[in-house]
Amino acid sequence: MAKFLIDEIYKSVKGLMPNDNIVSGAEVCVEGWIRTNRSNNKIGFISLNDGSCFSCCQVVYEAEKISNYDEISKLLTGCAVRISGKLIITPDAKQPFEINADEAELLGDCDASYPLQKKRHSLEFLREIPHLRPRTNTFMAVFKIRSIISQSLHEFFRKNGFTYIHTPLITGNDAEGAGETFTVTTRDDADYQNDFFGRHACLTVSGQLHVEPFALALGKVYTFGPTFRAENSNTPYHASEFWMIEPEMAFCDLRGDMAVMEAMLKYVIKDVLANAADELKFLNDFVVETHDLITKLETVANSDFKVITYTEAVDYLKNSGEKFEYPVEWGMDFYKEHEIYICEKVAKGPVFLIDFPKEIKAFYMKINPDGKTVAACDLLVPGVGELIGGSQREENYDVLVKKMDDMGIEKETLEWYLDLRKFGGVVHSGFGLGLERFLMYVTGVANIRDVIPYARTPKNLKF
Ligand code: 4AD
Ligand code: MG
């Protein structure tokens, strides 16, 4: 008897991926978890999900046909079963097929205390059971889309001539210079000279500094991996462990950098629209209160992103008539409320904010001819705020050294980084896209804790 994934049967029945063995009357076998099970003394119905797709398979079992009818009819939500039987294709019905069971076998029993019952559970409740929530429609959708986005990003970069570089997770420097690192040590006395690496080591906050040398060798590169930040911000947008995609390109200025950001986002969004239609529809209908998720993504995929300078943004905010919690002054770093106002009220969509005051941005960013701002760019999107941070890098040795001195950045651990400015250094640029923020934008899920399999946030490490 041929074993199938429910997804294979669906795709064949719907004509999306025809399979000659999937015909009405065929003997098939499926394995999955019971979502619901109801029966009377003659006939029962199981709604079975095997995780291969969003949809469940309806199983019909009859007392006359299966020997263990009483056992099966008592099985609770969450039990794992194997069903063998006849495939019945009903293209015009709401369920395009069902399986009429000849045999039903319990593979994994489920205790009555199983917390996922057939009702809506709140995201907050599900956050407490990260080991079980992937069995709900919402999380199945989110994690499928997370996978598609990750693969799609790789595809975009591969098609466009980028080389994938694995940068280290343990490092001796704090790339952003913001001092928000987690220390890596085998000692409990902070004596780092005598520690494992013979010096202070930490988890990376960004692969950028390590990937720049590869851009200055291979031209177009990217790194994609986990990053760690010990910033104590308990917000729906910050995680202590998150994944970042960081492309870096030689012979590329800020404009070129922004063109890649825009092309990358549109490529991935189109891919998700094409390949996760069922998941998006579910999220649109049941998770996003405004039900405009799909329209929003379609619009973004086909529109040009706007560009606003930091200085213009300050003017917009000052003249907005809004009462912001944090008053706006030129030179300040924007807060979430300002970012959201700029993209939702001014740009009404994704917007590049460029040319920030040099004091509020990282040391490696290229100073603009005005001497006051840097060639940096944040991409802001409605609902999320900052999705991407990027910049052209300072390639002038003397300027960079002076900037590091002015900003109090330790040069000792970064001599190698300065070398790049001595040995064939050229104009180069890059950016970092936070995977989870992108996933929040694409799925409409409002809290970063709900797009990470096991979220790491302050005071939260139970699993
Ligand atoms: O703006 P950030 O700090 O930029 C960098 O790390 C640069 N080195 C990137 C580069 O040029 N190669 O972070 C980049 C992005 C942010 O725009 C945001 O999407 C995400 O990373 N991010 C976070 N996501 C979740 N939780 C956090 N705590 C985040 N901090 C940044
Ligand atoms: Mg940033």
Side-chain angles (χ1 to χ4, degrees):
M1 176 152 330
K3 189 163 112 179
F4 291 104
L5 295 174
I6 293 172
D7 189 46
E8 289 175 293
I9 306 181
Y10 258 101
K11 290 215 171 98
S12 179
V13 168
K14 285 185 184 163
L16 298 171
M17 215 184 276
N19 179 329
D20 291 345
N21 297 318
I22 297 176
V23 289
S24 223
E27 293 291 329
V28 299
C29 167
V30 292
E31 294 166 337
W33 293 271
I34 294 178
R35 284 280 175 91
T36 58
N37 183 12
R38 63 197 162 85
S39 59
N40 55 32
N41 54 4
K42 282 208 201 90
I43 187 164
F45 303 90
I46 287 174
S47 177
L48 193 71
N49 189 286
D50 70 355
S52 66
C53 68
F54 213 50
S55 311
C56 292
C57 163
Q58 157 127 306
V59 174
V60 182
Y61 58 99
E62 293 166 64
E64 271 190 358
K65 272 175 83 178
I66 63 166
S67 53
N68 53 346
Y69 184 84
D70 289 342
E71 179 201 10
I72 297 302
S73 61
K74 288 195 190 79
L75 295 183
L76 301 175
T77 297
C79 284
V81 291
R82 177 184 296 131
I83 305 289
S84 306
K86 233 183 232 36
L87 181 67
I88 300 177
I89 298 179
T90 47
D92 300 328
K94 187 160 172 263
Q95 304 257 7
F97 68 90
E98 60 183 36
I99 295 175
N100 195 289
D102 295 317
E103 266 176 61
E105 186 186 343
L106 176 63
L107 301 178
D109 206 355
C110 186
D111 198 79
S113 62
Y114 187 53
L116 299 176
Q117 295 302 327
K118 183 144 180 78
K119 61 165 190 157
R120 285 290 283 276
H121 296 290
S122 75
L123 293 175
E124 289 76 15
F125 169 76
L126 294 169
R127 220 171 275 156
E128 301 300 313
I129 46 168
H131 58 310
L132 297 173
R133 67 178 181 173
R135 295 190 207 176
T136 64
N137 287 343
T138 300
F139 287 93
M140 211 173 252
V142 165
F143 292 122
K144 289 234 163 155
I145 294 176
R146 184 173 171 124
S147 168
I148 290 176
I149 288 181
S150 305
Q151 290 167 344
S152 186
L153 285 162
H154 282 302
E155 232 173 69
F156 172 83
F157 288 116
R158 184 162 175 195
K159 279 189 183 159
N160 287 286
F162 285 72
T163 303
Y164 178 27
I165 307 295
H166 297 108
T167 47
L169 300 191
I170 300 177
T171 170
N173 66 66
D174 165 7
E176 299 298 297
E180 287 161 343
T181 58
F182 289 104
T183 294
V184 175
T185 180
T186 56
R187 302 181 67 96
D188 49 20
D189 60 0
D191 177 5
Y192 302 126
Q193 301 309 313
N194 292 307
D195 202 351
F196 192 89
F197 295 106
R199 56 182 286 182
H200 182 259
C202 52
L203 291 176
T204 187
V205 295
S206 157
Q208 179 196 327
L209 301 195
H210 287 109
V211 92
E212 275 187 51
F214 285 82
L216 295 172
L218 299 164
K220 294 202 277 185
V221 298
Y222 70 106
T223 178
F224 183 5
T227 49
F228 308 87
R229 293 195 187 177
E231 54 188 331
N232 201 355
S233 18
N234 228 324
T235 79
Y237 314 96
H238 290 87
S240 315
E241 176 178 316
F242 63 97
W243 282 61
M244 195 161 30
I245 299 93
E246 294 183 275
E248 192 73 30
M249 296 152 281
F251 313 107
C252 176
D253 63 9
L254 186 66
R255 292 287 159 168
D257 203 20
M258 287 155 60
V260 174
M261 297 179 202
E262 187 165 343
M264 171 193 75
L265 293 178
K266 288 178 176 172
Y267 179 91
V268 174
I269 289 173
K270 283 181 186 162
D271 195 8
V272 176
L273 282 165
N275 291 298
D278 292 346
E279 284 78 6
L280 284 179
K281 185 166 186 330
F282 175 83
L283 293 165
N284 185 71
D285 294 352
F286 296 103
V287 175
V288 177
E289 276 170 24
T290 43
H291 308 303
D292 57 356
L293 180 67
I294 295 173
T295 333
K296 174 191 88 178
L297 294 176
E298 283 169 349
T299 310
V300 165
N302 296 300
S303 62
D304 292 330
F305 295 3
K306 299 200 173 63
V307 184
I308 296 179
T309 66
Y310 170 89
T311 305
E312 287 165 352
V314 167
D315 289 342
Y316 279 121
L317 292 165
K318 280 191 156 174
N319 300 327
S320 65
E322 295 275 321
K323 270 228 166 342
F324 293 113
E325 191 184 340
Y326 298 94
V328 177
E329 278 312 321
W330 198 96
M332 77 186 291
D333 208 355
F334 290 152
Y335 287 84
K336 192 62 78 186
E337 55 174 350
H338 307 124
E339 292 176 356
I340 295 289
Y341 181 87
I342 291 293
C343 55
E344 291 183 3
K345 297 281 166 32
V346 180
K348 302 192 169 66
V351 55
F352 290 116
L353 211 54
I354 60 167
D355 299 341
F356 290 83
K358 63 176 194 276
E359 289 78 13
I360 58 169
K361 288 291 183 186
F363 72 92
Y364 50 69
M365 296 184 177
K366 175 85 185 163
I367 300 204
N368 282 325
D370 65 10
K372 287 193 298 198
T373 60
V374 284
C377 157
D378 279 1
L379 180 77
L380 311 180
V381 296
V384 173
E386 182 191 334
L387 183 63
I388 295 181
S391 70
Q392 191 171 320
R393 318 307 189 188
E394 184 56 71
E395 81 274 16
N396 180 303
Y397 183 87
D398 297 324
V399 176
L400 186 58
V401 167
K402 175 159 189 319
K403 219 170 156 207
M404 289 170 84
D405 288 339
D406 289 350
M407 295 177 85
I409 304 287
E410 208 184 287
K411 287 199 291 297
E412 191 213 324
T413 57
L414 290 170
E415 288 297 349
W416 58 274
Y417 184 73
L418 285 165
D419 268 358
L420 299 174
R421 278 69 187 167
K422 287 199 286 198
F423 305 137
V426 292
V427 171
H428 63 290
S429 303
F431 64 88
L433 164 70
L435 177 69
E436 287 77 10
R437 298 236 182 125
F438 189 28
L439 195 53
M440 289 169 74
Y441 182 66
V442 171
T443 58
V445 167
N447 195 309
I448 199 164
R449 290 161 183 77
D450 298 328
V451 297
I452 303 180
Y454 301 91
R456 272 72 179 99
T457 49
K459 302 277 179 287
N460 174 27
L461 191 67
K462 187 167 157 206
F463 292 86

